[in-house]
Amino acid sequence: MKVSFLIDNALREAVVNSCIGILLKAMDIECKLDNYNFFYSPSGFDFFDRTRENIDLTLFPSYNVNRTPEQLSRAIRTNSMMVATHAEQIINSALYKEKLNTSAKSKYSKQITSHFVWGPFFAELLMTHSSIPADKIYITGNPKLQVSTRLNTSTPNLSPSKSVLIVSDFSLGDMDDERWSQFKKRYKANYNTPIHRHYYEARRKLVNWVLTASERYPNIHFKMRIHPGEDRAAYELLKGTNNISLVGDRDFIEDVLDSGLVFSYSSTSLFEVLVMDKQVFNLDLHDLPEERKGEYFELFEWVNKSQFMDILRNYDEGKVFYPSSGRKKLLEKYMYGGNQKAVLRNAIAIKDVLENRIAQYGFSDFLVHYRNLCLSLVKDKAVKAGIWFNKELGLQNYISTLANRRKEADLNNPVRLNPNKIESAYKIASGIVTESEIEILKNNLYEIRKEKDGIYIDF
């Protein structure tokens, strides 16, 4: 049997899925990591090259029936079942249509063989808003949190200096009104207020706060972690300052481990930070409208500019900050099992799906597949023709220019998976997975329990 993990962000997903892959390999289940997206290059469009081999099960970090038909086509072409692992499970109601496929419930339920969720919170959303039956939902916990915890206990801080991490989630602030309108339409985001403007203003304030703090506390190293794809020009004012560095090209976990304190605006990365026993504060930069807020905002600990400076002063004087026990307990509401055995539960859930489930694609699904095959073939032939005209006849053209630019952009993209990242991820994962976990799998030392809100795995 063979399993494929699709990676949308190599910096955040490669190590976690490598851990699960190591456990599966111990049961003679072959695994591979692959990029979620398909790419253009001077060699053509790579859909056909990357969907040649049969795969028994493919895990998708996200899937939308209407927006990502190429992923359905990938599964059908490789004779694979589809499992949704839901990379984003802490969401607000404006994104239900995109994340929960509320406008395509029937197809969604049939196309996705099983769902792996972090806790009862998201299981309830799937059942209530997507009409997904409980017997298709495995409540596994969040494997990223377990990996973060293992790294936190086994890896010392990477820098002896006083380091503060500031996590950006301001990508929406890059958009003008037209792009914002296109974003809402593409992702069916039901926002009534100009959220992008709120994030633009918040980011402007953040830059000002960080500049002021860096001058006031020269002994603190401020690491501004830029969101993948975010416009770095927005942080131009921070360049050239000795104790500020712009980061974002390595694993998020490494930056957290390297920091004694973390700040953010509204990023859900706080879940990983809290479970690693690092304190994270939310910067009250700009008041967000109610429609942007979610139930998970109850975990946020807001501080204004004056409080931000006071916290940094105390940190500079040697105070060590930890999250409160109450805040960490509240985290359990969203994450089943906290940071324990989630990697193992995911491996067991995959094994159970392989042994007991089958794909159920209908006639309309195959129509989508054939349409995508035709479209992918046109893309591939058009790119190859454009490259041929450029190379053989010296005719520069839009297609060849696009293909070369896309190749360069993709290769330089820090979140894109490549052989070096795969090798590095497996090396880190091999130091995280334990022999006791492998023994549990090999000896079936677990029980699968079906409840009204989903399937649980007990040890």
Side-chain angles (χ1 to χ4, degrees), residues 157-380:
N157 281 347
L158 303 177
S159 170
S161 64
K162 292 178 181 177
S163 186
V164 167
L165 178 65
I166 302 169
V167 183
S168 163
D169 61 330
F170 300 106
S171 292
L172 295 180
D174 290 341
M175 299 181 183
D176 56 20
D177 290 346
E178 182 179 355
R179 287 178 61 197
W180 170 244
S181 179
Q182 293 171 349
F183 171 86
K184 290 197 298 179
K185 183 177 180 180
R186 181 182 183 189
Y187 294 103
K188 307 296 187 295
N190 188 29
Y191 289 120
N192 297 310
T193 53
I195 303 292
H196 63 303
R197 297 182 189 174
H198 292 280
Y199 277 89
Y200 177 80
E201 291 300 327
R203 183 168 59 189
R204 288 181 61 186
K205 280 191 177 181
L206 173 70
V207 171
N208 175 268
W209 287 23
V210 174
L211 279 174
T212 302
S214 69
E215 293 173 0
R216 190 174 299 182
Y217 304 107
N219 294 325
I220 297 178
H221 178 210
F222 295 87
K223 294 182 298 181
M224 182 69 241
R225 184 176 174 88
I226 300 175
H227 195 275
E230 188 179 1
D231 183 8
R232 285 179 172 258
Y235 301 95
E236 193 69 28
L237 290 175
L238 300 181
K239 293 181 178 179
T241 305
N242 291 333
N243 59 333
I244 300 177
S245 57
L246 304 183
V247 301
D249 293 339
R250 65 174 183 172
D251 195 308
F252 173 71
I253 294 171
E254 292 183 52
D255 281 330
V256 174
L257 288 171
D258 198 18
S259 306
L261 199 56
V262 181
F263 293 94
S264 184
Y265 181 42
S266 61
S267 173
T268 55
S269 62
L270 70 89
F271 289 95
E272 290 169 79
V273 177
L274 289 175
V275 82
M276 294 171 72
D277 209 29
K278 302 273 188 177
Q279 175 63 305
V280 55
F281 293 102
N282 297 85
L283 300 175
D284 194 3
L285 298 163
H286 188 86
D287 190 30
L288 285 169
E290 288 299 317
E291 64 176 349
R292 172 61 186 88
K293 300 174 182 177
E295 188 175 343
Y296 60 92
F297 268 50
E298 63 184 335
L299 275 166
F300 288 8
E301 194 168 321
W302 296 100
V303 296
N304 59 32
K305 186 174 183 179
S306 176
Q307 293 168 321
F308 174 59
M309 296 301 170
D310 287 343
I311 291 168
L312 291 173
R313 173 176 52 79
N314 290 328
Y315 180 64
D316 191 39
E317 292 174 354
K319 182 176 180 178
V320 179
F321 290 85
Y322 295 101
S324 67
S325 57
R327 199 180 186 196
K328 293 187 72 173
K329 185 175 182 180
L330 185 59
L331 180 65
E332 296 175 9
K333 173 179 177 181
Y334 301 90
M335 307 290 171
Y336 174 70
N339 54 19
Q340 301 295 319
K341 293 186 170 63
V343 170
L344 186 56
R345 286 193 183 93
N346 272 265
I348 293 169
I350 290 171
K351 179 174 179 286
D352 191 63
V353 172
L354 286 169
E355 293 175 348
N356 298 298
R357 313 267 178 166
I358 59 172
Q360 294 181 322
Y361 302 122
F363 178 73
S364 61
D365 298 330
F366 281 92
L367 289 180
V368 171
H369 171 52
Y370 294 135
R371 185 163 56 246
N372 181 74
L373 287 181
C374 293
L375 180 60
S376 297
L377 183 62
V378 170
K379 291 178 180 179
D380 185 57

Side-chain angles (χ1 to χ4, degrees), residues 3 5 14-27 31 59 85 116 143 147 342-348 350 426 429 433 441:
V3 171
F5 296 90
V15 172
V16 175
N17 288 310
S18 295
C19 289
I20 300 171
I22 289 173
L23 291 175
L24 293 175
K25 286 181 179 179
M27 297 185 292
C31 302
L59 295 104
T85 57
F116 295 177
V147 169
V343 170
L344 186 56
R345 286 193 183 93
N346 272 265
I348 293 169
I350 290 171
Y426 272 107
V433 175
L441 276 175

Side-chain angles (χ1 to χ4, degrees), residues 4-7 32 34-38 46-47 50-53 55 58-60 68-80 82 361 369 372-373:
S4 177
F5 296 90
L6 300 186
I7 306 297
K32 74 168 188 174
D34 193 9
N35 282 293
Y36 176 80
N37 292 315
F38 295 102
D46 66 2
F47 175 84
R50 289 172 49 206
T51 57
R52 292 185 185 280
E53 60 180 333
I55 303 290
T58 302
L59 295 104
F60 294 80
T68 58
E70 70 279 1
Q71 301 301 346
L72 172 65
S73 184
R74 177 205 294 259
I76 292 177
R77 180 168 157 82
T78 58
N79 298 306
S80 174
M82 300 175 70
Y361 302 122
H369 171 52
N372 181 74
L373 287 181

